[in-house]
């Protein structure tokens, strides 16, 4: 298995071939442009340089807790002008998918208020809860999880107020073989600082998947359905001419590999160089890596003199 190479350690002609090898960029946001602690220095300059080089950028995130409008506003504050339609997150992707299959009916949803708002504004009927503590008794539990509502789909994404009661209720709805199961973000760990991770939404979704025995439709990274929708929407006929940029091996790199994209890991977020070097699974090893996306600024500067010769 060939090990990934740093984009600034390529030979001059290799750098030119790399830049010429992709026409479009899909990129993560958290860990690439922002972290919980700070903004990644010069990341906006890198994406502006990519777009100026004729490489349109689409921001593909697993974060539906933050609204699109809020994300666009945060981008503007760091000097990156982005249109709403350039941002894809699981809630939007779910709406796109539900419309594609002409879904109608009631949805039981375990997700953040922002996620629910996207679906409600798209016209879908939602059911959630319980959103309060219940008494520790089996009779009270039964009263909250056994329900005859005609739920036709269960959705699970990030819910900071997730309870076992919600999972039990979702599991019972999924006893109906006609009830669909959708998952959004599947991150098993979420980086908080350079040395602290917290449990992500993935393990909770896995509980529901395992208990129900159902195959979910995954509408976050690394979901195949997400990749197919992106390629269809942007009319991608040659996946190998798409560059996927991200900071997580299991979400971003695996997603890119699954879709046939080229992959670039940045070390500014959830993966260290030591973790990258220790990875042996081919589906998780990127084609290239960089300290941060800001390395594109230097890369284009190095190519500029020859480009104008």
């Amino acid at each position: 298995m060939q090990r990934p190479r740093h984009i600034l350690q390529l030979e001059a002609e290799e750098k030119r071939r790399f830049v010429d090898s992709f026409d479009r960029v899909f990129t993560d946001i958290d860990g690439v442009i922002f972290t919980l602690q700070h903004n990644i220095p010069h990341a906006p300059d890198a994406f502006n340089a990519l777009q100026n080089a004729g490489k349109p950028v689409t921001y593909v995130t697993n974060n539906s807790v933050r609204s699109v409008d809020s994300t666009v506003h945060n981008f503007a504050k760091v000097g990156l002008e982005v249109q709403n339609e350039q941002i894809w997150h699981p809630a939007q992707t779910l709406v796109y998918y539900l419309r594609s299959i002409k879904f109608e009916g009631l949805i039981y949803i375990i997700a953040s208020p922002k996620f629910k708002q996207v679906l409600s504004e798209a016209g879908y009927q939602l059911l959630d809860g319980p959103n309060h503590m219940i008494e520790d008794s089996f009779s009270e539990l039964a009263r909250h999880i056994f329900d005859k509502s005609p739920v036709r789909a269960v959705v699970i994404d990030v819910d900071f107020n997730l309870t076992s009661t919600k999972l039990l209720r979702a599991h019972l709805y999924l006893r109906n073989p006609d009830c669909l199961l959708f998952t959004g973000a599947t991150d098993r760990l979420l980086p908080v600082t350079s040395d602290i991770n917290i449990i992500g939404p993935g393990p909770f979704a896995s509980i529901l998947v395992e208990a129900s025995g159902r195959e979910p439709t995954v509408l976050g990274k690394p979901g195949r359905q997400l990749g197919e929708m992106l390629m269809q929407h942007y009319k991608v006929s040659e996946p190998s001419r798409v560059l996927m940029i991200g900071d997580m091996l299991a979400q971003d790199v695996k997603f890119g590999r699954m879709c046939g994209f080229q992959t670039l890991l940045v070390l500014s977020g959830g993966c260290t160089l030591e973790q990258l070097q220790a990875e042996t699974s081919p589906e998780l090893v990127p084609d290239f890596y960089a300290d941060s996306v800001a390395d594109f600024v230097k890369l284009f500067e190095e190519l500029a003199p020859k480009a104008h010769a």
Side-chain angles (χ1 to χ4, degrees):
M1 180 178 61
Q2 186 173 348
R3 302 307 301 176
R5 300 177 64 190
H6 196 294
I7 60 172
L8 293 183
Q9 294 174 1
L10 300 173
E11 298 295 332
E13 187 54 35
E14 290 176 318
K15 290 175 181 175
R16 187 174 305 281
R17 286 201 301 267
F18 167 60
V19 170
D20 290 342
S21 70
F22 61 93
D23 306 312
R24 173 177 293 278
V25 173
F26 293 147
T27 180
D28 188 24
I29 297 175
D30 297 288
V32 178
I33 301 174
F34 311 117
T35 72
L36 288 178
Q37 297 174 301
H38 63 276
N39 300 326
I40 306 299
H42 304 294
D45 298 331
F47 286 113
N48 287 329
L50 283 162
Q51 295 199 132
N52 290 338
K55 318 286 187 182
V57 178
T58 301
Y59 301 87
V60 185
T61 176
N62 273 359
N63 188 346
S64 292
V65 176
R66 182 178 54 221
S67 71
V68 171
D69 287 341
S70 174
T71 302
V72 169
H73 179 69
N74 289 340
F75 280 165
K77 288 196 297 186
V78 297
L80 191 57
E81 296 300 321
V82 174
Q83 303 302 312
N84 285 35
E85 54 268 24
Q86 287 179 263
I87 299 172
W88 284 61
H89 63 54
Q92 290 174 302
T93 307
L94 177 57
V95 169
Y96 186 96
Y97 185 83
L98 292 175
R99 287 173 176 166
S100 74
I101 64 173
K102 297 180 171 56
F103 177 88
E104 294 181 357
L106 184 61
I107 299 171
Y108 179 70
I109 186 165
I110 302 173
S112 68
K114 295 294 185 185
F115 194 114
K116 296 173 188 176
Q117 182 181 352
V118 171
L119 266 68
S120 294
E121 291 178 350
Y124 291 101
Q125 185 182 2
L126 305 180
L127 179 68
D128 64 5
N131 295 310
H132 60 276
M133 297 296 292
I134 68 169
E135 181 184 339
D136 288 339
S137 71
F138 282 110
S139 60
E140 185 70 2
L141 176 65
R143 192 171 72 83
H144 283 90
I145 66 174
F146 288 98
D147 179 62
K148 294 183 179 180
S149 299
V151 170
R152 292 200 55 217
V154 168
V155 174
I156 182 167
D157 189 71
V158 176
D159 181 356
F160 293 154
N161 294 289
L162 177 66
T163 63
S164 61
T165 309
K166 293 180 181 180
L167 289 174
L168 291 169
R169 188 173 178 182
H171 175 240
L172 289 173
Y173 288 132
L174 289 167
R175 292 177 64 193
N176 177 358
D178 295 326
C179 183
L180 305 174
L181 175 58
F182 297 102
T183 62
T186 58
D187 309 55
R188 303 200 70 79
L189 292 172
L190 297 175
V192 177
T193 67
S194 59
D195 59 349
I196 297 176
N197 293 325
I198 60 174
I199 298 173
F204 304 116
S206 294
I207 291 172
L208 191 55
V209 170
E210 181 179 347
S212 67
R214 303 291 294 278
E215 187 69 28
T217 299
V218 182
L219 297 171
K221 296 172 295 183
R224 187 174 301 279
Q225 290 87 355
L226 170 60
E228 290 173 353
M229 281 187 283
L230 284 166
M231 287 189 280
Q232 180 183 24
H233 184 80
Y234 292 105
K235 298 179 172 57
V236 174
S237 58
E238 294 183 65
S240 63
R241 294 197 62 80
V242 173
L243 179 66
M244 178 69 210
I245 301 174
D247 70 308
M248 301 288 282
L249 298 176
Q251 272 68 49
D252 304 309
V253 173
K254 185 175 180 179
F255 175 65
R257 288 288 193 196
M258 180 186 298
C259 296
F261 304 151
Q262 294 187 64
T263 52
L264 170 69
L265 180 81
V266 291
L267 302 176
S268 52
C271 183
T272 65
L273 179 59
E274 290 74 24
Q275 290 170 325
L276 171 61
Q277 292 173 335
E279 184 55 62
T280 58
S281 174
E283 66 177 3
L284 300 182
V285 176
D287 298 299
F288 303 96
Y289 75 99
D291 293 338
S292 84
V293 73
D295 286 342
F296 272 107
V297 176
K298 186 173 182 181
L299 181 67
F300 280 115
E301 287 175 351
E302 293 175 353
L303 293 177
K306 291 186 178 181
H308 293 113

